[in-house]
Amino acid sequence: MTVHAILITVSDQPGMLSKLTKVLADHKANITYHVAFHGGTGPKSDIYFEFTLENTPLDVVVAELKKVPGVSILEETSSFAKIYGKRIVVVGGGAQVGQVAMGAISEADRHNIRGERISIDTIPLVGEDEIAAAVRAVVRLPRVQLLVLAGSLMGGDIADAVKEVRNSGVLVISLNMAGSVPDAADLIVTDPVQAGVMAVMAVADTAKFDLETQKKRHY
């Protein structure tokens, strides 16, 4: 089904979300992306929806949403998946994260020129608790297909978090480092630049690299 995306400017008041979702539910719309609020200091807020429709034309749903009291502006827009595409997250030490990002961004550029949409997110972090929390939070981010752990030493609760993320369907590449994280990951790569390149190739439709056939290998 086609994913529709709309951005609605509404009065910042209780009940607005309920009113809007009722219209979508009445037309059996399936909301595929979490509602995003962009509240400011003024009396208006923006609410973003991505959803699919089975039978109802989009213009019918849009017309009814515009009639909801409190709606001031409704704009049809491109979905985040269409604009930003698949998402790779790199977590770990600053130097290693930077090298992984360099490889990933260079490779993503090559595929995006050919019509892909692959975006790279990075966050340098220190500390077992901080990194484990960031790993677990990956599954709550939209569009994430692969996580890269970049560092010199990771284990303990981070390894447990990696296993949880993999069970949720997110692929994990680890640098070849000390600790138990490499054993928990799908693939272990020594060179950080190569790890970034392989991460992009693993999610790109325009690449022939299949990570499923490479699982648990070391490079």
Side-chain angles (χ1 to χ4, degrees):
M1 294 184 182
T2 301
V3 176
H4 304 289
I6 54 175
L7 181 65
I8 310 174
T9 300
V10 301
S11 300
D12 191 2
Q13 61 185 23
M16 284 305 309
L17 181 58
S18 175
K19 295 174 185 177
L20 296 173
T21 54
K22 183 180 185 305
V23 173
L24 294 172
D26 288 345
H27 291 286
K28 295 181 172 55
N30 181 33
I31 299 174
T32 57
Y33 178 62
H34 295 292
V35 177
F37 293 88
H38 306 284
T41 57
K44 301 290 185 181
S45 292
D46 292 334
I47 303 178
Y48 174 80
F49 289 102
E50 290 183 8
F51 58 92
T52 58
L53 294 168
E54 289 188 8
N55 301 311
T56 308
L58 178 62
D59 56 352
V60 173
V61 177
V62 167
E64 289 198 25
L65 288 170
K66 287 181 177 179
K67 295 178 182 178
V68 173
V71 171
S72 56
I73 301 173
L74 190 152
E75 176 187 2
E76 296 177 43
T77 184
S78 297
S79 68
F80 283 131
K82 186 174 182 180
I83 297 171
Y84 290 108
K86 303 160 189 172
R87 193 176 190 179
I88 294 171
V89 177
V90 187
V91 178
Q96 293 94 335
V97 166
Q99 291 296 302
V100 173
M102 183 171 66
I105 292 170
S106 297
E107 184 69 12
D109 182 64
R110 189 169 71 88
H111 292 280
N112 289 349
I113 286 174
R114 292 186 283 169
E116 285 272 6
R117 285 294 182 271
I118 300 171
S119 55
I120 315 298
D121 289 356
T122 64
I123 179 166
L125 285 175
V126 176
E128 180 180 340
D129 292 342
E130 290 78 4
I131 294 175
V135 170
R136 290 189 171 96
V138 161
V139 298
R140 302 198 297 270
L141 295 172
R143 304 177 292 103
V144 175
Q145 296 199 2
L146 191 145
L147 168 68
V148 181
L149 274 300
S152 301
L153 170 63
M154 292 187 192
D157 194 35
I158 303 174
D160 294 336
V162 168
K163 294 174 184 177
E164 294 170 20
V165 166
R166 288 183 61 209
N167 288 336
S168 298
V170 177
L171 298 170
V172 180
I173 293 178
S174 170
L175 295 189
N176 190 14
M177 67 178 82
S180 54
V181 161
D183 293 334
D186 291 295
L187 183 69
I188 302 91
V189 183
T190 300
D191 180 74
V193 175
Q194 183 183 5
V197 171
M198 294 178 80
V200 171
M201 292 179 66
V203 304
D205 293 332
T206 50
K208 295 183 179 180
F209 177 71
D210 185 1
L211 195 147
E212 290 294 328
T213 64
Q214 306 293 318
K215 282 193 172 182
K216 295 303 179 181
R217 293 192 180 185
H218 288 67
Y219 288 97

